[in-house]
Amino acid sequence: HIQDPASQRLTWNKPPKSVLVIKKIRDASLLQPFKELCVYLTEENNMIVYVEKKVLEDPAIANDENFGPVKKKFCTFREDYDDISNQIDFIICLGGDGTLLYASSLFQGSVPPVMAFHLGSLGFLTPFNFENFQSQVTQVIEGNAALVLRSRLKVKVVKEHREKSTVQNGIEENGMVSANLEKEVGKQIMQYQVLNEVVVDRGPSSYLSNVDVFLDGHLITTVQGDGVIVSTPTGSTAYAAAAGASMIHPNVPAIMITPICPHSLSFRPIVVPAGVELKIMLSPDARNTAWVSFDGRKRQEICHGDSISITTSCYPLPSICYRDPVSDWFESLAECLHWNVRKKQNNFTVEEEE
């Protein structure tokens, strides 16, 4: 049975009580919407509001006396230090698409539903406008909304023969959270949940990257070029689209493999089924190392003997729709990317037909 995307609806087992508000930092235009939203959530809906500590360190918020009583009700946390994964009922993002990617990175397991307001520069993943936010937030709290389950990638990076680093208070010398690390003899294993894409590139080297791509243990190709993008359908409209890939609706269960500037006339982007396991390694005869990043974060070097394993995660990101999954997606294609925009062809006049 193939599920109709329109049948995915937000339903609460019990009324939501806690909400995480993510605000794009260093953007003065978002201060007023942030304050209005927080006042509405705390005073009108009696919600417990979680806010990242660095957001409240903004001088414009810290020095606002009128906002003081509301600010005292906040629960604060610090990224990489505090685990709030089991304390949040839903998330509200104020900003651009980056705020949704950031929300994804905070939840390495199950993700609460995310309501994203378009207050950034692109807004492909943020369908809500802020003008009438009260009624829209109320509808979400009441469970009256459509959902799109955005699949994520589960990524495991295995590095060979890495020097040991000391662990203090759960944080390593290199700043990595030790909770995401497993130590083996001569190995370091890191895991990530990725919403958009995994990018493997040649980094600062002037040589072509040379990496082998395996699918379920079989070598399918060697990428010679600037690198390769492994993306979700959500990420198909991001870096992959810029590299020439097709755009895939987020309800399609798939993983995309897109080369970056391949030195080949026949290397076309391909789509493989969700659930397969991809493995990327440096080719044995590669002249240089490669670099990898995950949704643009945690960039690190990949050396000979290291591997990157990628498959579909069992923890998607539930994104709340403005209308429905199909309408929202085509609206974003038209508004943000101007998809299929051109002047219309004139029809024939009666004289020309005769």
Side-chain angles (χ1 to χ4, degrees), residues 55-352:
V55 170
L56 299 182
E57 292 170 354
D58 189 312
I61 294 177
N63 300 329
D64 190 335
E65 296 180 359
N66 296 328
F67 195 55
V70 177
K71 194 168 59 175
K72 289 178 181 178
K73 298 179 182 178
F74 289 159
C75 294
T76 59
F77 71 97
R78 294 173 299 169
E79 184 190 8
D80 291 340
Y81 281 86
D82 303 315
D83 182 14
I84 58 169
S85 56
N86 294 321
Q87 301 169 35
I88 305 299
D89 290 330
F90 74 104
I91 304 169
I92 297 179
C93 293
L94 302 177
D97 292 349
T99 57
L100 195 72
L101 296 173
Y102 182 65
S104 172
S105 71
L106 291 175
F107 294 85
Q108 293 298 297
S110 179
V111 188
V114 182
M115 182 182 193
F117 285 94
H118 170 36
L119 292 163
S121 52
L122 184 61
F124 198 94
L125 307 177
T126 53
F128 289 93
N129 292 317
F130 195 77
E131 284 77 20
N132 54 343
F133 74 93
Q134 294 95 335
S135 62
Q136 294 171 340
V137 171
T138 300
Q139 283 193 329
V140 170
I141 293 174
E142 292 174 351
N144 183 23
L147 276 180
V148 56
L149 296 178
R150 298 185 179 276
S151 65
R152 298 196 293 175
L153 298 175
K154 182 175 75 172
V155 187
K156 183 170 76 171
V157 179
V158 179
K159 292 191 173 183
E160 301 278 357
H161 311 300
R162 190 179 178 92
E163 293 182 4
K164 291 184 178 179
S165 56
T166 58
V167 178
Q168 295 179 343
N169 299 325
I171 305 295
E172 298 209 349
E173 284 179 340
N174 58 7
M176 186 70 67
V177 184
S178 62
N180 282 349
L181 295 175
E182 299 174 20
K183 293 291 185 181
E184 295 182 8
V185 178
K187 287 186 179 181
Q188 183 186 36
I189 301 175
M190 292 159 286
Q191 293 195 10
Y192 305 95
Q193 296 283 331
V194 174
L195 179 61
N196 259 2
E197 73 274 297
V198 179
V199 177
V200 180
D201 61 67
R202 61 192 174 99
S205 172
S206 58
Y207 293 113
L208 294 173
S209 71
N210 202 332
V211 295
D212 293 335
V213 180
F214 299 84
L215 192 150
D216 286 341
H218 303 284
L219 177 65
I220 57 169
T221 194
T222 298
V223 180
Q224 294 187 95
D226 281 353
V228 64
I229 305 165
V230 178
S231 62
T232 63
T234 295
S236 70
T237 50
Y239 194 178
S246 295
M247 295 177 288
I248 300 178
H249 189 276
N251 278 113
V252 177
I255 297 175
M256 300 185 65
I257 303 171
T258 307
I260 308 170
C261 297
H263 198 243
S264 164
L265 297 178
S266 58
F267 194 167
R268 302 296 297 270
I270 60 171
V271 180
V272 297
V276 302
E277 183 176 44
L278 295 168
K279 181 179 277 189
I280 299 176
M281 301 181 70
L282 273 181
S283 297
D285 54 352
R287 293 183 176 183
N288 56 292
T289 62
W291 289 74
V292 62
S293 60
F294 315 92
D295 283 343
R297 294 162 60 91
K298 308 290 186 184
R299 185 168 169 81
Q300 54 198 268
E301 191 173 15
I302 298 297
C303 303
H304 285 92
D306 298 345
S307 67
I308 306 163
S309 298
I310 306 168
T311 190
T312 304
S313 169
C314 59
Y315 299 111
L317 184 142
S319 181
I320 299 172
C321 301
Y322 178 65
R323 289 192 180 89
D324 60 78
V326 173
S327 299
D328 284 11
W329 194 67
F330 279 100
E331 182 96 2
S332 294
L333 285 181
E335 288 292 321
C336 301
L337 300 183
H338 292 184
W339 178 63
N340 199 25
V341 173
R342 59 151 286 177
K343 288 185 177 180
K344 285 191 175 182
Q345 189 179 50
N346 293 331
N347 64 333
F348 286 126
T349 61
V350 176
E351 290 81 3
E352 286 174 335

